[in-house]
Every structure is written in C-alpha cells, then in structure tokens.
Amino acid sequence: GGDGGRGISGGERRRLAIACELLRAESDGALTVLIADEPTTGLDSFQADRVVETLVDLARGEGAMVLMCIHQPRSAIFEKLDDVLLLAPGGRTCYAGPASGALAYFAGKGFPCKPNYNPAEFLVDLVSVDTSSKEAERRAWKRIEALHRAWQSDSPRSPLPEQPAMAAGGPAPEPAEPRRRPRRAGLLSQFFHLVGRAFTQTRREGAVHLTRAAGTVVLALAFGTCHFKLGRSQKSIKRRGAVMMQVCINSAMMSTIKTLNSFPRERCVVKKELAKTRTDGSRLYGIGPYFLSKLLVESPVDAFFPVLFGSIVGPLSGLNPRNRLAFLGTLALQGVSASAVGMSVGALAPSTEAALAVGPVVMVLSIMLGDSGGMFAEVPKFLKPAAKFSLIKWGFDGCSSAEFSGLDFHCDDLDELMTPANGAPDGNGPQGGAKGFLAGLFNSPRPPPSYQREIAEAVCLRTGKQVLEGMGLEEWGFADAAKEQGKLLLYNLCATYLALRVKDGGGGYGASHTKPPIPFERSARKLWEI
C-alpha cells in the first residue's frame, strides 16, 4: 500500500511473509527447519488457527521441524502442538515436554487447571509477573522460582521426552522418504508465470485505466473542437501541422508520466525479490523473463490510449482519411516508445521523485528538437544531429507524412491571406499568422496587381507532396519514421535492461554472490550456515 490506496493489514502482511517463505522452501525442496516468531500476532482466532494448521501439516506431513514462539493461543491451537517450552522472565525454564502432559505435570506440583479453562492461558499465567503491587510481584516471583527449581530437579539437563512408541519399546517410526528436489524453473516457465502476474496486476489497475481513458476522450474532444473540420485551404496547412505536433506531444507525455510514476515503485519490489535466493544460490527468476513479460502485457495498454485519442481527433478535425491507419499506427508506436523512455529514466533514477524530476526535462528537450523541418521554429544547425534522438521529431514526421501524403489543397483563400489581419489601410498594422504572411511579403493594403497575383499563385501549395518537401520529408515516408521510432524504442529498452541488470539484478538467472551481513569465522557455526 501507499499514499494512493490502502495496503494490506499487519495480519495479512504476516501471513504473506509466511507464504513467501513456504513457497521459497517448496521451490528449493529442502525445508527442514522453520522458525516462526509470533506468526499469529495480529490475526483473529480463526485465521490464527488456519496459520497454525498449515504449520502443523508441514511438520507432520513434510517432516519439517517447526519452532514457533506464540502468546496466548486459543485452546484449539494448543491441542495441535506436539511439545511446549514454557519460559518465565529471565529465561527460566518451567516446563519442556509434550503439550498433552503439561496440565498433569503442574497439577502434580500443586497448580491444577480449572475445568473449561484455556490451558494455554493457564500456563502463561503461571509464569507471568503481576506488578500491580509489591506483594503480588513477590508472590509471582516466588511461584516462578519454585516451578523453575522443580523442573531442574525433575529433569536435570534432559532432552525432550521420547515419542510414546519409542519409550514403550515399540518399533521406531520409519524415516520419512526424502523429498525429491524439484527442478529449477526454466526461463520459459519463469516467463509464463511472470506474464500471469503482470496481467493480474494490470487487471487490478482497471479503475486507473478507466480514468485515463475518460481523460483521453475529454482531451480528444477538446482538440477536435478547437480544430473542427480544417478543410483544404492554404491556412489549413499550418493548422494540420499544429494538430500533428499537439497529438504527438500529448501521446508522449501521457505515456511517459504514467510510466515514471509507476515503474520506479515496481522496481523496489522486483529488487527485493531478486535479492532472495534458493539454497543452490540461484534466483527466483531472472531479469530477462521479468522484462519481456512486462513488455508483452503493458505495451498494448500503452498503445491503446494514443490510438483512442487519434481515433476521435481524426474525424472531428477532418484529417486525411486515406492514411488513417498509418496515422494511428504512428501514434501507437509513439505511446510505446514514450513508455520505454519513462522506463529507462525510471531505471536509471534512484527514486520515484528523481524520475519525475528528470523525465519532464527529457521530454521538453525532445519537444524543442521535434520540429526539425521548420514548420513552427527553426532548429539550429548544430543541434540537428541531436534531433535524431528526439522522440517527438520522429512521431511528428510520421504523422505529418501520413497526413499530407496524397492530400490536395486549393488556393481560394489567397485574397484573404494577402489582406492585413486587422484590415488597416496602410498595411502597417499587426498581422496574424497565416492570414498576414503574404500581406507582409508584399506590404500593400491594396488589392495586388496582376503580377502579384501570379506570384501568389506560384507559391500556393496545391499538394501535400509540396508541403512535405518544404519540411524536408518524403511523400509516403511514414514507414521510414516508424523505423527511426523503432530504433529509439530499442535503445531505451536496452538501456532499461542494462540498468536493471547492473543496479538490481547482479547475476540474473545465475548464482547470487550476496555475502552474509556480518562477517563470521568458519570455525563458528552461525544460523545462516545451517
């Protein structure tokens, strides 16, 4: 959980920790000892009983030794225990033996348990110190010391009693069959399991996707309304270019910000999982299967929203219907490529906050270098080589090529374009955009002479091919732009994979070289050596 939503409770977290260790031990095939520190704390009585039942099944069915520290279990849980070690404050042992013989033992020492009383609570009360008064505390310590001395005298340094069958001289229980060690999951098996997990995670984010889809529809309607039915006039050329640029920027920014906000958090979980190793030193899964499964599941989602946006803006704005599929395909590739940029920044950044700070800077630089054709602003010559790495540039080039290829324009609005924007008779007033560019060229408020009309007719752009040539692009060149987008996508994916492997993965699918957190001598046996 986090700031955006409720996480799991403390009890659920405890059960999840037990389940993770059991799954890890099951994959190793070598579960011999399980130590659980208060596994039922924070759980209700029913869930606590279920957890203990699972541990009992491990002990009796799988032959594992389960050591569990537990406080005040319900009577049903106490009946499931095989042996009990009852400790008083200061580590004083007051009983160690079969759980079924504990009540009889203390009854023989003058401490009988009342009928219909929880035996576990009775035992805990025997070794608890009442600090409500000095007299009560003195009596409690006197009782504890008596029980401790009684246990020492009855069984000095003796191990736990033998099982009844062995004590009676009966046949010893047959040794449990050694469990067959399961094979380590291969790369293909890891991949399919991780695909299932990624799909489940994406499905759980359904509310987020619905909200994002609603926002996309609202933005698309706003864009389509502002540029409604552009027509085929001369002034529509620049407006079509503006739509292409705005659509590319919107698609890229939406995908990038979404990835920057989610991927660094996911990386923290993956890093913890990759840090866990099996007994043979291998990892639970490799970075390669994880990365491929993430791309397979999330790439269609990243491509869907730009396509939804373009599908609404296109008909409303009257964009070229002939190349609509090429236009939508360019937007889909733009969304996936932008998500890859977000992943590479998120993988290299140390935290989510750092990724959210760096990501917009990368996208703004990409926007600045996006119009290398000079439709809106001229990119300096010394920056044009860097424009090849601009995600916006190749999206804009691909969308523009898809839009203007095969499109024809008319020159019916030349008189309007050559008239000053404010109608000032001296021609020196402010002139706006495409309406005034020819009037500024001729600098005359009067109707142009015949030779000026001829010049205007000559510079009139009648085909989309002429527009594309002015931008330095080729007609039907959206496939070339898609190739360059694919290269940027590949570059960012490789950067993300290498960053994950170096920063989080280490050995990947192979052995882990993680050392114990505290240096130790080989002669001293430590817990992690068992």
Side-chain angles (χ1 to χ4, degrees):
D3 297 335
R6 176 187 175 275
I8 60 177
S9 64
E12 290 170 333
R13 190 179 297 113
R14 195 172 299 274
R15 281 181 288 164
L16 178 61
I18 296 173
C20 289
E21 293 302 320
L22 294 181
L23 287 174
R24 179 182 173 189
E26 183 67 23
S27 65
D28 290 338
L31 179 60
T32 55
V33 178
L34 177 64
I35 302 176
D37 183 16
E38 301 186 25
T40 61
T41 300
L43 303 180
D44 58 70
S45 58
F46 175 77
Q47 295 296 342
D49 187 62
R50 297 285 296 174
V51 169
V52 174
E53 183 69 32
T54 302
L55 298 178
V56 169
D57 291 341
L58 283 173
R60 297 176 180 173
E62 304 291 340
M65 179 185 294
V66 179
L67 305 178
M68 176 174 60
C69 174
I70 192 170
H71 294 288
Q72 292 184 324
R74 58 187 287 188
S75 56
I77 292 178
F78 184 80
E79 291 177 357
K80 294 181 174 67
L81 304 180
D82 294 325
D83 297 295
V84 172
L85 172 62
L86 186 63
L87 293 177
R92 296 172 174 83
T93 302
C94 295
Y95 180 78
S100 58
L103 296 183
Y105 171 81
F106 286 106
K109 301 300 178 183
F111 299 97
C113 179
K114 298 177 182 179
N116 302 323
Y117 198 85
N118 186 348
E121 294 182 359
F122 167 73
L123 296 179
V124 171
D125 290 343
L126 279 180
V127 294
S128 298
V129 178
D130 185 1
T131 58
S132 59
S133 64
K134 290 186 177 181
E135 180 61 24
E137 184 176 1
R138 187 188 63 79
R139 288 197 303 268
W141 278 114
K142 183 178 180 181
R143 181 183 66 251
I144 290 173
E145 289 294 341
L147 292 174
H148 178 56
R149 287 195 300 269
W151 175 253
Q152 285 182 320
S153 62
D154 289 349
S155 53
R157 299 176 185 173
S158 63
L160 291 177
E162 295 178 342
Q163 297 297 328
M166 296 179 63
E174 296 183 2
E177 243 181 72
R179 297 174 60 196
R180 205 167 87 185
R181 182 185 185 84
R183 285 192 329 173
R184 184 176 61 182
L187 293 177
L188 193 61
S189 176
Q190 294 178 31
F191 172 73
F192 283 117
H193 281 84
L194 290 169
V195 165
R197 186 174 77 167
F199 179 77
T200 301
Q201 182 177 352
T202 302
R203 186 182 59 189
R204 288 176 178 173
E205 297 174 349
V208 177
H209 295 320
L210 287 176
T211 304
R212 187 179 173 189
T216 300
V217 171
V218 171
L219 281 177
L221 292 174
F223 270 78
T225 303
C226 291
H227 303 281
F228 187 72
K229 298 301 179 185
L230 295 175
R232 302 292 182 90
S233 63
Q234 292 297 294
K235 64 181 179 181
S236 72
I237 294 176
K238 196 165 187 178
R239 293 185 66 187
R240 289 176 185 270
V243 171
M244 297 300 104
M245 178 62 75
Q246 292 169 357
V247 166
C248 289
I249 293 174
N250 174 76
S251 301
M253 289 298 293
M254 295 285 282
S255 297
T256 303
I257 296 301
K258 173 258 177 186
T259 306
L260 288 174
N261 192 44
S262 61
F263 184 62
R265 292 189 177 94
E266 182 180 338
R267 250 190 64 213
C268 295
V269 177
V270 173
K271 186 175 181 179
K272 290 179 181 179
E273 293 178 344
L274 292 174
K276 294 183 178 181
T277 58
R278 302 184 180 93
T279 53
D280 60 356
S282 63
R283 300 188 183 276
L284 299 179
Y285 57 83
I287 290 181
Y290 157 73
F291 194 51
L292 290 177
S293 65
K294 180 178 178 64
L295 292 179
L296 179 66
V297 174
E298 295 187 3
S299 293
V301 178
D302 294 327
F304 169 75
F305 294 102
V307 171
L308 175 63
F309 187 85
S311 300
I312 298 174
V313 171
L316 287 177
S317 301
L319 301 183
N320 188 354
R322 182 177 179 182
N323 300 326
R324 186 66 52 78
L325 289 179
F327 170 66
L328 296 179
T330 302
L331 290 183
L333 189 55
Q334 178 87 346
V336 177
S337 301
S339 180
V341 171
M343 283 196 293
S344 62
V345 174
L348 294 170
S351 64
T352 302
E353 291 74 17
L356 289 173
V358 175
V361 176
V362 175
M363 291 307 301
V364 169
L365 291 175
S366 183
I367 294 171
M368 289 173 55
L369 301 174
D371 186 19
S372 61
M375 174 169 274
F376 305 104
E378 189 71 25
V379 176
K381 289 185 178 180
F382 71 92
L383 287 178
K384 285 194 174 181
K388 295 181 179 180
F389 299 96
S390 170
L391 178 67
I392 303 297
K393 166 186 165 50
W394 297 115
F396 177 64
D397 289 355
C399 288
S400 298
S401 180
E403 173 60 22
F404 290 108
S405 295
L407 209 60
D408 295 324
F409 299 94
H410 60 76
C411 302
D412 298 342
D413 57 340
L414 284 182
D415 290 338
E416 182 183 357
L417 292 174
M418 290 184 292
T419 301
N422 64 344
D426 58 355
N428 295 325
Q431 299 168 356
K435 281 188 175 184
F437 85 95
L438 284 180
L441 174 65
F442 299 118
N443 195 22
S444 173
R446 297 181 298 277
S450 59
Y451 69 92
Q452 291 180 341
R453 162 66 66 174
E454 293 177 2
I455 293 176
E457 290 283 352
V459 299
C460 176
L461 302 175
R462 298 180 181 275
T463 64
K465 182 178 180 181
Q466 293 175 320
V467 177
L468 293 173
E469 287 176 351
M471 298 171 60
L473 302 176
E474 296 183 1
E475 192 175 23
W476 316 107
F478 43 79
D480 295 332
K483 290 180 183 178
E484 297 299 328
Q485 277 185 303
K487 290 180 182 178
L488 287 181
L489 172 63
L490 185 61
Y491 295 156
N492 283 285
L493 292 180
C494 290
T496 304
Y497 176 77
L498 292 176
L500 290 176
R501 191 170 182 84
V502 171
K503 296 176 66 176
D504 301 340
Y509 179 72
S512 168
H513 304 288
T514 304
K515 296 180 180 180
I518 302 174
F520 60 93
E521 298 179 0
R522 292 290 179 184
S523 58
R525 297 288 291 178
K526 301 296 182 182
L527 178 62
W528 55 72
E529 293 183 272
I530 300 177

